[in-house]
């Protein structure tokens, strides 16, 4: 087994759970259904609890490597990696700023 840090896991630690919640949010908003809103609320809590358990297990299995990954990668809301980062999200070298003196 290995710690997956590439693909969609480069942008967020929980892309599948996040996608599921995004779908349910869209369903609740588009249908304006109280049932869909309740379903979304229940899933938010369920996924939050599940993520805490997953993170505990992953931290025990991968140790500092998982802590480093958590420091670089948000739990839920994706953000672009820092400028100058490679395909795995790690820094590849100094970012070069464009020359704006002209």
């Amino acid at each position: 087994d290995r710690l997956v840090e590439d693909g969609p896991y480069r942008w967020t630690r929980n892309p599948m759970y996040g996608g599921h919640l995004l779908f349910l949010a869209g369903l609740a908003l588009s249908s304006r259904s109280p049932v869909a809103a309740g379903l979304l609320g229940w899933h938010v809590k369920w996924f939050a609890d599940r993520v805490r358990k997953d993170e505990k297990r992953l931290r025990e299995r991968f140790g500092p490597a998982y802590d480093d990954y958590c420091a670089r990668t948000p739990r839920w809301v994706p953000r672009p990696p820092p400028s100058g980062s490679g395909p795995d999200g790690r820094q590849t070298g100094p970012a070069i700023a464009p020359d704006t003196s002209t």
Side-chain angles (χ1 to χ4, degrees), residues 45-97:
K45 180 179 179 348
W46 188 89
F47 280 124
D49 292 342
R50 173 67 189 254
V51 163
R52 279 191 288 279
K53 290 175 190 171
D54 288 349
E55 289 182 344
K56 181 177 187 254
R57 181 179 49 79
L58 291 166
R59 191 164 277 113
E60 289 169 358
R61 179 158 183 104
F62 296 107
Y66 186 70
D67 291 332
D68 291 344
Y69 172 63
C70 288
R72 289 191 311 275
T73 311
R75 179 182 282 161
W76 292 111
V77 180
R79 69 172 179 254
S83 176
S85 63
D88 64 355
R90 293 191 174 108
Q91 197 70 18
T92 58
I96 299 173

